[in-house]
Amino acid sequence: GEIDILKQWIQDTKTIYMLKKNVMKKDCLAKYSGYSCGLIVDLLNGENDVESICEKARISRYEVYRIISLLLSDGFIQETTPDNLLATGDDYLNQKEGSKALRMFERYMESGGDRSAVLKKIAYAKEIMGEKQLSALDYGEYADYCYQQGNHDEAFNSFEKAIEFWPENADLHIPY
């Protein structure tokens, strides 16, 4: 039946989708109005797979598949990949939305992304959130990484930031 046609668009219920970078919720609702579409767009945040969207939306599986298929076919959403999680996290950092950025960087690492690529970004996200001590630990970890890579200037700058945020933590003092 119709759900089999929709499954051609959504072949794996563990797939996670998110809005494309320049797409806003209002763009989707302008084309597909209704409570169900708005709810599903809210759940297409780079965190929920199709199966969990079906559970959380509390509407028929057919309706969830139909809306996601329409959004896919019109190019409003994309499958979540490490690269677009990283780009979305960067966008959130630029908007000073630390907690949203942090979630994207965590998802990036869960999806196989390289932790060293986001260490400084994670520290900055926590800094934005006002989590100075947690940020200090991440800046310290990033500094260790930079030092091991031979980037001593960046290591020094990151250690300085870590010490600024948590001066009483003896573990953060420069070991070299």
Side-chain angles (χ1 to χ4, degrees):
E2 284 185 56
I3 198 152
D4 293 326
I5 294 168
L6 297 177
K7 284 183 179 178
Q8 292 173 0
W9 283 97
I10 304 165
Q11 296 176 4
D12 182 1
T13 60
K14 292 299 177 194
T15 302
I16 299 173
Y17 295 100
M18 61 194 295
L19 290 178
K20 286 189 175 176
K21 189 172 184 166
N22 297 321
V23 174
M24 305 293 285
K25 180 179 178 178
K26 64 180 173 58
D27 300 328
C28 301
L29 295 178
K31 187 154 187 178
Y32 310 107
S33 61
Y35 169 77
S36 297
C37 183
L39 176 64
I40 290 171
V41 168
D42 286 341
L43 293 170
L44 292 167
N45 57 8
E47 296 179 32
N48 298 298
D49 61 24
V50 174
E51 189 62 39
S52 65
I53 290 172
C54 288
E55 292 166 12
K56 292 176 182 179
R58 297 181 187 258
I59 57 175
S60 73
R61 181 172 295 275
Y62 169 78
E63 186 66 5
V64 171
Y65 276 52
R66 186 183 73 78
I67 292 169
I68 291 175
S69 297
L70 290 169
L71 294 170
L72 276 168
S73 67
D74 284 334
F76 286 134
I77 61 174
Q78 62 190 350
E79 190 171 329
T80 302
T81 65
D83 287 344
N84 61 37
L85 287 167
L86 191 57
T88 302
D90 288 342
D91 289 343
Y92 284 136
L93 276 186
N94 291 333
Q95 298 164 18
K96 304 285 189 238
E97 295 190 47
S99 62
K100 289 181 178 179
L102 186 58
R103 275 200 315 273
M104 288 300 115
F105 297 141
E106 288 168 347
R107 290 272 311 117
Y108 166 79
M109 291 182 301
E110 289 167 9
S111 65
D114 180 16
R115 179 169 170 75
S116 64
V118 292
L119 278 173
K120 186 175 183 180
K121 295 173 186 208
I122 289 170
Y124 183 56
K126 290 177 183 175
E127 179 182 341
I128 291 170
M129 295 165 57
E131 300 283 349
K132 299 288 190 187
Q133 291 183 341
L134 293 175
S135 179
L137 295 173
D138 290 319
Y139 277 120
E141 184 180 347
Y142 179 66
D144 284 338
Y145 171 77
C146 290
Y147 186 77
Q148 291 168 15
Q149 300 301 310
N151 188 347
H152 298 166
D153 289 342
E154 184 72 10
F156 182 78
N157 292 337
S158 293
F159 264 123
E160 272 190 333
K161 194 102 165 167
I163 292 167
E164 172 190 337
F165 290 155
W166 198 359
E168 20 336 296
N169 187 340
D171 291 337
L172 292 176
H173 294 281
I174 300 172
Y176 34 82

